[in-house]
Amino acid sequence: MNAPTPAAGLAASAPPAAAPDAVLEGAGLGFGYGVGDAVFRDVSLKVERREIVCLLGASGCGKSTLLRVLAGLESADAGAVRFLGQPLTSPHPRSALVFQQASLLPWLTVERNAAFGLDFTHQPRIAEAVRRARVASALAAVGLAGREKAWPAELSGGMAQRVALARALAREPELLFADEPFSALDAITRAEMQSLLVELVHRWHAAVLLVTHDIDEAILVADRILLMGGRPGGILAEWTVDIERPRSAAPEAVARLRLEILEALRRSSLR
Ligand SMILES: Nc1ncnc2c1ncn2[C@@H]1O[C@H](COP(=O)(O)OP(=O)(O)OP(=O)(O)O)[C@@H](O)[C@H]1O
Ligand SMILES: [Mg+2]
């Protein structure tokens, strides 16, 4: 079966040749909440175009805080963030965010929730027909065609998270920031959503920075895995995951990498 292509108006073209390779670059980043020690210090990382990078680390090591700084939701105390080669000071219109909770607005239908990310003031204005096409295509891509008029209260957790994903895709992001987007879902729905995420970002030509503390999730979806840890936090290790997809077809390679990461995670928690 051929993979469906996005409808007219959705991002499907290759980036211009002159565009920088990295969608996102953080250099020498430091951040503290002003109470106690810094959360992280001297963190540098890159996300290339169309790359899926997972940020893995023990609970409380600063992953969500780093993601918020990289997404422009918090200002770094030190260092700088660049998005598509330009300094980033606030969330970029070509980025999108997905969190653990779908955070749908209960008084809006599925369709209007999916369109919601197109209404932000910093989002470029688009024609109504393009907007409708983008939303319809994104909802179809996450398997919710026909449920446009449903209310959030009628959705399962997995369906709500699909709407959140559609809302992000409708923005045609160059980069999707995702903070434990599937951790509230049951195991089967979660596995489905992980595969769907990979399929969709490949189809939309988007890059992803995914925060998780689940090693299996990281190995299943990532092109590259960064391990965060230490106090203050830093990037302690990095793996390029060159296991062919679907990775479930290569259980031995997955198990080997899993052990290696687990060992590094254990060592990081002893630091
Ligand atoms: N708003 C805040 N004010 C003060 N401290 C905070 C705030 N948010 C987070 N912290 C602290 O910053 C540190 C890093 O928190 P963060 O939420 O980034 O960790 P995390 O790696 O995402 O954890 P988890 O895996 O549990 O989500 C923690 O010590 C946390 O208590
Ligand atoms: Mg977190």
Side-chain angles (χ1 to χ4, degrees), residues 10-262:
L10 285 165
S13 55
D21 289 338
V23 182
L24 181 76
E25 282 180 273
L29 298 173
F31 184 88
Y33 283 103
V35 284
D37 297 338
V39 176
F40 54 83
R41 193 179 288 159
D42 202 21
V43 169
S44 295
L45 59 82
K46 263 188 193 184
V47 180
E48 305 285 335
R49 283 181 185 271
R50 307 182 186 193
E51 188 184 29
I52 305 180
V53 175
C54 281
L55 189 60
L56 191 67
S59 187
C61 76
K63 304 179 297 296
S64 296
T65 305
L66 177 58
L67 179 128
R68 291 174 61 78
V69 167
L70 291 166
L73 294 166
E74 304 269 9
S75 298
D77 300 336
V81 179
R82 295 176 79 79
F83 192 96
L84 294 173
Q86 301 296 319
L88 184 82
T89 50
S90 59
H92 195 281
R94 297 303 298 275
S95 69
L97 291 130
V98 182
F99 296 106
Q100 185 177 359
Q101 301 302 331
S103 309
L104 304 184
L105 298 171
W107 59 89
L108 295 181
T109 60
V110 159
E111 190 175 40
R112 294 194 56 201
N113 265 290
F116 190 67
L118 301 174
D119 292 335
F120 297 142
T121 47
H122 61 277
Q123 192 71 15
R125 306 300 307 162
I126 52 171
E128 185 54 32
V130 174
R131 175 192 160 98
R132 270 203 301 274
R134 280 198 196 183
V135 170
S137 182
L139 282 173
V142 300
L144 286 176
R147 302 304 305 269
E148 292 84 353
K149 304 294 176 210
W151 298 98
E154 301 171 304
L155 306 178
S156 67
M159 287 161 83
Q161 206 52 310
R162 282 169 192 260
V163 179
L165 202 49
R167 181 171 56 196
L169 292 173
R171 289 163 62 85
E172 295 187 350
E174 288 280 351
L175 177 60
L176 178 66
F177 291 99
D179 192 350
E180 303 203 26
F182 311 133
S183 58
L185 304 177
D186 67 83
I188 293 175
T189 311
R190 183 176 184 151
E192 280 172 12
M193 291 296 287
Q194 288 162 345
S195 304
L196 181 67
L197 176 79
V198 173
E199 183 204 323
L200 289 179
V201 297
H202 284 166
R203 207 196 304 173
W204 254 255
H205 303 310
V208 182
L209 181 65
L210 178 104
V211 160
T212 182
H213 49 224
D214 180 343
I215 299 179
D216 296 315
E217 179 163 284
I219 297 177
L220 191 75
V221 307
D223 297 314
R224 201 151 52 85
I225 297 173
L226 305 177
L227 176 66
M228 189 172 181
R231 268 174 198 276
I235 306 293
L236 304 178
E238 174 177 340
W239 293 266
T240 298
V241 188
D242 49 15
I243 306 167
E244 216 171 295
R245 291 187 167 94
R247 299 204 167 132
S248 51
E252 284 176 11
V254 166
R256 262 197 310 278
L257 180 58
R258 187 178 197 284
L259 268 180
E260 208 180 299
I261 296 176
L262 197 55

